[in-house]
């Protein structure tokens, strides 16, 4: 009997540590220093992006140009390299990072899946199919034309997914949203392959676009995308509090006056806008919208608004860093940004999937 009592006695140190971890997870964490650090890092990486690049110009010459040295300012080649090539690429990296980081964080919260990625809504496959159609049947060849086709394709695919997910008795459910996006994405992928089989010239241009890169981006390419991206960001942050209520369960959210289906569809619309803008600028970029939210949750805990903000900053930092490395890894040639992100993102994804904190991360999302 004494042995039975000893074996059934609760392990108080373990229970105390478990409750302490749960209490720490619920406590709000200070965000000023992480946000300030990420912002300073973003500014520093932006400066490095302006100083480093392909070509024969040195970092010292680029610095002289930035600080206003008259001799450097008179160099036409240096002006072209910094103002027409590096500055637009830096702005594009920030733009793509903010869009993908915010979209990934919002999608993971809406689907309650910490491994959800923006490609689940069919944005990437829809944009790819539209680009192939534009190249093959409408003579689209310039970067601006491909950007327009990619944006239209991504928006169309997302609209179809939202219509499919918003119909029926299970309207707006996370499973229905993911299934609709996966099914439509597979359909677009098959149609894209069918069109590419008979057109070699289209395949060559499409292959360059779909590899994912910021090379050749101009400032004029970003201006038409600012309104839809701004609308997506406003919608994303507007959905933060209702989605936090959904974390308590659909029934609890309804008792608080929220409509789970409508909230998820609004979140999916924001994800579609942001992902479509990012794909239109840089092509399909994998892993960034998956990893940045995971890192943000480690810093913020369960506060979704803070997660969105830090996820955007983290993704922008990573995108600029990847673009800088893409210019120097195999210099004087360039490595596609998506390749570098895949090298880093693949092992990290395996580590996240094997992590014991995965279930906690999903719950907090």
């Amino acid at each position: 009997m004494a042995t039975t009592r000893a074996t059934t006695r609760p392990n108080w140190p373990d229970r105390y540590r478990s409750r302490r971890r749960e209490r720490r997870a619920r406590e709000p964490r200070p965000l000023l220093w992480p946000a300030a650090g990420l912002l300073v890092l973003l500014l520093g990486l932006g400066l490095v992006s302006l100083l480093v690049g392909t070509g024969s110009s040195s970092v010292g010459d680029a610095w002289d140009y930035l600080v206003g040295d008259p001799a450097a300012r008179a160099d036409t080649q240096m002006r072209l390299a910094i103002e027409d090539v590096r500055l637009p690429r830096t702005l594009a990296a920030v733009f793509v990072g903010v869009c993908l980081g915010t979209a990934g964080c919002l999608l993971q919260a809406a689907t309650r899946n910490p491994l959800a990625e923006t490609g689940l809504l069919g944005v990437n496959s829809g944009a790819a199919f539209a680009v192939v159609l534009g190249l093959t049947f409408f003579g689209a060849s310039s970067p601006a034309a491909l950007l327009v086709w990619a944006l239209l394709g991504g928006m169309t695919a997302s609209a179809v997914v939202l219509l499919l997910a918003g119909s029926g008795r299970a309207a707006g459910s996370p499973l229905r949203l993911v299934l609709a996006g996966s099914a439509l994405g597979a359909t677009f992928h098959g149609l894209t392959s069918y069109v590419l089989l008979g057109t070699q010239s289209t395949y060559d241009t499409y292959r360059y676009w779909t590899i994912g890169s910021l090379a050749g981006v101009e400032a004029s390419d970003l201006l038409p995308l600012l309104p839809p991206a701004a609308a997506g960001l406003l919608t994303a942050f507007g959905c933060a509090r209702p989605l936090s209520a959904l974390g308590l369960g659909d029934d609890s959210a309804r008792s608080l006056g929220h409509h789970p289906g409508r909230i998820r569809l609004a979140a999916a619309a924001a994800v579609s806008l942001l992902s479509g803008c990012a794909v239109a600028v840089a092509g399909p970029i994998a892993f960034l919208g998956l990893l940045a939210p995971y890192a943000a949750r480690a810093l913020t805990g369960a506060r979704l608004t803070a997660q969105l903000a830090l996820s955007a900053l983290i993704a922008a930092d990573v995108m600029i860093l990847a673009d800088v490395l893409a210019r120097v890894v195999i210099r004087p040639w360039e490595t596609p940004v998506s390749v570098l992100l895949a090298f880093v993102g693949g092992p990290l994804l395996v580590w996240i999937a094997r992590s014991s904190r995965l279930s906690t991360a999903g719950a907090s999302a």
Side-chain angles (χ1 to χ4, degrees), residues 100-118 120 172-175 177-178 236-237 239-250 260 263-268 271 289-290 293-294 297 300-308 311 360-365:
L100 289 181
T102 306
C105 183
L106 191 65
L107 183 61
Q108 290 177 15
T111 60
R112 299 178 191 169
N113 182 359
L115 296 181
E117 204 263 336
T118 51
L120 285 177
S173 69
L175 179 60
L177 192 65
V178 171
F237 281 92
C239 292
R241 293 190 65 182
L243 280 176
S244 299
L246 290 187
L248 303 174
D250 287 5
I263 295 170
R264 291 194 181 98
L265 290 177
V271 170
L290 172 66
Y294 189 86
R297 279 195 296 272
T300 65
R303 289 171 291 175
L304 185 54
T305 303
Q307 288 178 27
L308 291 171
S311 181
T360 304
S364 64

Side-chain angles (χ1 to χ4, degrees), residues 74-339:
D75 189 344
T76 305
Q77 184 178 0
M78 182 59 62
R79 183 187 303 111
L80 177 66
I82 293 181
E83 295 186 6
D84 295 343
V85 178
R86 298 179 190 175
L87 180 59
R89 288 186 67 159
T90 304
L91 296 176
V94 174
F95 179 84
V96 172
V98 169
C99 288
L100 289 181
T102 306
C105 183
L106 191 65
L107 183 61
Q108 290 177 15
T111 60
R112 299 178 191 169
N113 182 359
L115 296 181
E117 204 263 336
T118 51
L120 285 177
L121 291 186
V123 176
N124 294 348
S125 56
F129 181 57
V131 166
V132 169
L133 290 180
L135 288 169
T136 306
F137 301 109
F138 297 93
S141 58
S142 65
L146 295 182
L147 183 147
V148 173
W149 279 98
L151 181 61
L152 291 177
M155 295 297 97
T156 302
S158 300
V160 175
V161 170
L162 294 180
L163 288 176
L164 293 175
S167 61
R169 298 179 59 184
S173 69
L175 179 60
R176 192 181 183 95
L177 192 65
V178 171
L179 288 177
S182 300
L184 193 66
T187 302
F188 279 134
H189 181 73
L191 292 174
T192 300
S193 300
Y194 174 77
V195 175
L196 287 175
L197 285 177
T199 52
Q200 182 65 33
S201 60
T202 298
Y203 177 74
D204 292 338
T205 307
Y206 169 77
R207 181 177 56 185
Y208 175 79
W209 175 84
T210 195
I211 201 170
S213 174
L214 293 175
V217 175
E218 299 180 359
S220 58
D221 296 336
L222 300 177
L223 293 178
L225 299 177
L226 292 180
L233 288 173
L234 290 176
T235 305
F237 281 92
C239 292
R241 293 190 65 182
L243 280 176
S244 299
L246 290 187
L248 303 174
D250 287 5
D251 293 336
S252 299
R254 290 190 186 94
S255 66
L256 295 174
H258 298 292
H259 300 277
R262 297 178 187 175
I263 295 170
R264 291 194 181 98
L265 290 177
V271 170
S272 301
L273 283 171
L274 295 171
S275 302
C277 291
V279 171
V281 172
I285 300 293
F287 293 111
L288 189 59
L290 172 66
L291 300 176
Y294 189 86
R297 279 195 296 272
L299 295 173
T300 65
R303 289 171 291 175
L304 185 54
T305 303
Q307 288 178 27
L308 291 171
L310 290 194
S311 181
L313 287 174
I314 292 171
D317 287 336
V318 173
M319 194 67 187
I320 292 185
L321 179 60
D323 186 48
V324 171
L325 293 176
R327 308 174 202 174
V328 299
V329 169
I330 56 173
R331 199 168 183 174
W333 296 281
E334 284 198 24
T335 304
V337 175
S338 60
V339 174

